[in-house]
Amino acid sequence: MTTLGLVVAEFNRPITEQMEQEALEAAQAAGAEVYETVTVPGVYDAPLAADRLARLETVDAVAVIGTVITGDTDHDQVITDATAQRLSDVSLERDTPVTLGVTGPGMSAAESRERVENAAKAVDGALDLVDELPDSDGDPDSA
């Protein structure tokens, strides 16, 4: 059974709560276990939590979910760009799939609510990567 770590941003909680439910349902439907769910204040805080989960031997992959809603500045773009880059770094540094189920930037709250299913896509992507990636021990027959 594949074991997931889940990181959920608290900011915009009415939306991320729905996203968390979508992620948990997707994991259950796929027969995966969510080993631990870590909540963080906002999307920007997710890379540290993802890194901690990716370090655990029992975690096969990490899915990060949240939403960044646009405001009067480019803050949403800055946050999502930085977060995506750092999550990619965590995945490569820990040799563990880390998927991005974060909606935004440039979205209104209404648009973000319409995309809560992106959380399930992040879980599905994490599970697909675990299944498809060859083992990192270099043995092509052990995949």
Side-chain angles (χ1 to χ4, degrees), residues 110-129:
E111 291 169 320
S112 200
R113 278 189 290 278
E114 292 172 1
R115 291 172 177 82
V116 295
E117 74 280 353
N118 281 2
K121 292 177 184 176
V123 168
D124 292 342
L127 296 173
D128 288 347
L129 282 167

Side-chain angles (χ1 to χ4, degrees), residues 35-121:
Y35 174 77
E36 186 167 353
T37 299
V38 177
T39 56
V40 294
V43 167
Y44 186 80
D45 308 300
L48 177 60
D51 186 66
R52 294 280 174 95
L53 288 169
R55 291 180 193 208
L56 300 174
E57 285 289 324
T58 54
V59 173
D60 298 311
V62 178
V64 176
I65 59 173
T67 189
V68 181
I69 296 171
T70 193
D72 294 333
T73 67
D74 291 336
H75 183 76
D76 59 323
Q77 185 72 49
V78 171
I79 294 297
T80 53
D81 287 352
T83 300
Q85 181 60 58
R86 287 305 298 148
L87 289 174
S88 178
D89 293 345
V90 169
S91 186
L92 293 170
E93 290 166 8
R94 299 290 169 216
D95 194 32
T96 300
V98 178
T99 57
L100 182 66
V102 175
T103 59
M107 287 188 173
S108 68
E111 291 169 320
S112 200
R113 278 189 290 278
E114 292 172 1
R115 291 172 177 82
V116 295
E117 74 280 353
N118 281 2
K121 292 177 184 176

